Amino acid sequence: MHQRLKMIRISWKWKKRATTFLVVGLFGLLAFELCKSSSKHETDHLRVDLKEDIRKVQQFFKSNTYVFTWSSCEQNISATNITNFSSFPGPMKDFLYYRHCRHFPMLLDVPDKCGGASQSAEVFLLLVIKSSPVNYDRREVLRKTWAEEREQNGVWIRRLFISGTMDSGKEKERLNKILELEHREHNDILQWDFSDTFYNLTLKQILFLEWMERNCPKARFLLNGDDDVFANTDNMVQYLQGLEDNDGSKHLFTGQLNVGMVPVRSWSKYFVPVQVHEADEFLPYCSGGGFLLSGYTAMVIYNMSQSITLLPIDDAYMGMCLSKAGLEPSNHMGVRAAGLDTSSNNIDRHDPCVHKELLLVHKFPTSHLYLLWNRIHDPKLKCFVSTKL
Ligand SMILES: *[C@@H]1O[C@H](CO)[C@@H](O)[C@H](O)[C@H]1NC(C)=O
Ligand SMILES: *[C@@H]1O[C@H](CO)[C@@H](O)[C@H](O)[C@H]1NC(C)=O
Ligand SMILES: *[C@@H]1O[C@H](CO)[C@@H](O)[C@H](O)[C@H]1NC(C)=O
Ligand SMILES: *[C@@H]1O[C@H](CO)[C@@H](O)[C@H](O)[C@H]1NC(C)=O
Ligand SMILES: *[C@@H]1O[C@H](CO)[C@@H](O)[C@H](O)[C@H]1NC(C)=O
């Protein structure tokens, strides 16, 4: 709390300084240009340009309030005291050094994605897609397929990619530039300045929820998932509209339910030592590949997360937050976050009829996704046989 207050004060000082600097600069420029230009015609042009510049500066401060808000978070040196710390792999060490950091500067924001906080109930389904800066081609295909922003069955679907940063120096700048270009064109990226790694996914989720509380607290439902899934958003809208007695203001958290999952204690992508999570089992949670939740439940999770230490496995962390609130995740048969089991029942992964009935399937190469989405929407598609999955 103390740290937060201090940072806000610094941020104000900086904002004031930056504003003063820009305003003085603009007026200096105006005076200079006015002396230089002779004809009235030229001056008029200039006024228009300057107005445009002033508008841009104002816009900058309106949309980038958080640019100046957080200073960098310090490494926790005491983490080295943890038993066997030195034997942990690098990513786990990084996680422990920075586990307490929850605020990072925003690089790209879309504060008006939901039409403002008070209007946000107009958004029926907000797609919140975890995407790393390098996954440009995945984002491009999603925008053209299941994640297209549209009115579906009379309600609105909106899209956001959530991202951190990668690499350092020139390479980091280059990747940020790609996101910035995409953002300029599509207005659909939230990016914070933290390393976009597997163990930082929980951080990414919390940063998103914090953003949601500020900018889109009343969105009815959310799909939270990876950028390599096939999500049948048409079916999702239908399913959510069919929920009795829940317009997003009650609990919903559904997907592929995992119960009794055991933390991986040996070194792998999912390694979680006892020093980080003592219990032998995770609490029930839905696979992070993709799950559906209500706006209400998203805000409950955000509230609970304030007092739960970060766990490096983001979907299991969601389960902890739900449990603390006394809520349970549920299973939805249509969500195949682990992919389809195509070995046994003669199922063709590429058969559009198989996917017409499902809500979500992991994991798809982008080109297949593009083809499948189009085949499902082919008015000539006829699915005779009911799919037994
Ligand atoms: C933990 O580490 C800090 C900083 O390295 C050190 O000052 C402190 O004595 C250590 N505490 C314990 C309990 O070992
Ligand atoms: C730093 O790490 C130590 C060891 O895990 C922990 O006890 C302490 O609470 C951490 N400090 C902060 C500020 O999170
Ligand atoms: C620490 O490492 C030693 C040697 O590998 C091992 O025997 C011990 O069980 C470890 N302790 C913990 C708490 O991980
Ligand atoms: C998470 O991001 C922070 C900020 O960039 C970084 O210092 C830390 O090492 C990252 N943690 C992991 C596990 O990558
Ligand atoms: C979350 O916490 C805030 C502040 O304590 C509270 O106003 C709000 O009602 C809570 N939201 C939910 C969904 O529990």
Side-chain angles (χ1 to χ4, degrees):
M1 199 51 182
H2 174 72
Q3 193 192 13
R4 187 178 167 135
L5 286 175
K6 200 174 96 201
M7 281 182 216
I8 287 171
R9 227 178 295 133
I10 290 169
S11 99
W12 266 104
K13 211 163 75 189
W14 267 102
K15 256 178 109 166
K16 248 166 64 188
R17 276 187 195 165
T19 313
T20 313
F21 177 77
L22 282 159
V23 168
V24 168
L26 274 172
F27 278 100
L29 189 71
L30 175 67
F32 173 75
E33 291 289 346
L34 281 178
C35 294
K36 223 178 57 178
S37 58
S38 43
S39 77
K40 182 172 179 317
H41 182 73
E42 261 180 68
T43 325
D44 282 348
H45 253 297
L46 193 67
R47 281 215 187 95
V48 174
D49 285 353
L50 272 165
K51 257 194 196 147
E52 182 59 17
D53 285 349
I54 291 170
R55 197 192 59 76
K56 276 187 192 153
V57 170
Q58 285 171 339
Q59 190 61 37
F60 175 82
F61 279 104
K62 247 165 83 187
S63 64
N64 290 277
T65 324
Y66 283 76
V67 168
F68 299 101
T69 306
W70 308 106
S71 66
S72 66
C73 181
E74 307 253 321
Q75 194 181 47
N76 178 5
I77 303 293
S78 305
T80 53
N81 294 359
I82 295 169
T83 316
N84 289 353
F85 179 86
S86 60
S87 73
F88 291 161
M92 184 46 72
K93 285 182 183 159
D94 281 342
F95 171 76
L96 289 165
Y97 277 138
Y98 296 98
R99 190 182 197 178
H100 59 291
C101 305
R102 290 184 181 226
H103 298 284
F104 288 89
M106 259 193 123
L107 301 178
L108 297 172
D109 191 4
V110 202
D112 58 353
K113 175 53 73 177
C114 301
S118 56
Q119 294 300 304
S120 56
E122 304 278 311
V123 177
F124 184 77
L125 180 57
L126 183 62
L127 310 174
V128 182
I129 307 159
K130 295 174 270 180
S131 191
S132 297
V134 282
N135 293 345
Y136 166 78
D137 54 345
R138 293 192 191 165
R139 290 188 293 275
E140 273 308 287
V141 170
L142 296 199
R143 288 180 180 115
K144 293 199 289 189
T145 58
W146 62 260
E148 189 188 354
E149 296 199 319
R150 62 194 189 276
E151 201 181 337
Q152 174 70 29
N153 214 14
V155 295
W156 283 102
I157 298 181
R158 294 280 180 239
R159 171 189 67 237
L160 281 171
F161 292 105
I162 55 176
S163 191
T165 60
M166 282 173 94
D167 277 302
S168 55
K170 279 266 178 296
E171 187 61 11
K172 173 173 169 179
E173 277 172 35
R174 199 180 62 81
L175 286 164
N176 284 354
K177 195 75 201 167
I178 296 174
L179 283 183
E180 197 186 315
L181 285 171
E182 288 178 65
H183 186 64
R184 210 180 291 167
E185 191 178 341
H186 302 286
N187 221 33
D188 62 357
I189 296 175
L190 302 182
Q191 188 192 21
W192 293 266
D193 197 4
F194 68 89
S195 342
D196 200 317
T197 60
F198 179 72
Y199 283 152
N200 263 346
L201 280 177
T202 309
L203 173 65
K204 187 187 266 196
Q205 300 277 37
I206 304 277
L207 287 167
F208 165 74
L209 291 169
E210 181 199 52
W211 178 94
M212 183 183 167
E213 192 202 37
R214 198 164 63 240
N215 297 297
C216 194
K218 297 192 179 123
R220 306 277 172 169
F221 298 100
L222 297 90
L223 164 66
N224 183 297
D226 292 340
D227 59 5
D228 61 350
V229 300
F230 177 83
N232 194 330
T233 43
D234 297 350
N235 288 357
M236 283 178 184
V237 166
Q238 202 184 356
Y239 162 69
L240 295 168
Q241 283 179 323
L243 291 176
E244 273 172 29
D245 206 28
N246 193 350
D247 59 358
S249 60
K250 300 205 173 78
H251 172 57
L252 175 80
F253 194 99
T254 194
Q256 178 171 308
L257 186 63
N258 296 320
V259 179
M261 296 293 278
V262 177
V264 177
R265 302 300 194 193
S266 58
W267 170 225
S268 86
K269 179 183 175 188
Y270 301 97
F271 172 61
V272 179
V274 269
Q275 292 87 332
V276 169
H277 188 75
E278 212 179 338
D280 292 334
E281 274 185 10
F282 287 129
L283 293 163
Y285 66 93
C286 293
S287 290
F291 52 82
L292 285 166
L293 68 163
S294 63
Y296 166 78
T297 299
M299 288 298 92
V300 170
I301 291 174
Y302 178 59
N303 281 1
M304 294 301 121
S305 74
Q306 306 291 322
S307 53
I308 304 180
T309 311
L310 297 192
L311 182 80
I313 310 291
D314 68 316
D315 43 11
Y317 183 78
M318 297 280 144
M320 291 164 71
C321 295
L322 286 172
S323 167
K324 181 155 188 173
L327 302 175
E328 281 175 6
S330 64
N331 191 54
H332 193 296
M333 280 303 292
V335 176
R336 306 300 171 99
L340 276 180
D341 180 11
T342 50
S343 56
S344 55
N345 348 352
N346 242 344
I347 289 170
D348 176 4
R349 260 178 83 77
H350 305 290
D351 179 356
C353 289
V354 168
H355 296 90
K356 233 177 130 64
E357 313 290 320
L358 291 171
L359 289 192
L360 185 135
V361 184
H362 206 231
K363 147 178 209 187
F364 266 87
T366 38
S367 57
H368 295 193
L369 219 148
Y370 181 52
L371 181 63
L372 193 57
W373 183 254
N374 283 286
R375 286 175 74 185
I376 283 183
H377 289 88
D378 181 352
K380 281 180 281 184
L381 175 70
K382 293 215 165 52
C383 298
F384 294 110
V385 195
S386 151
T387 50
K388 290 190 198 67
L389 295 168

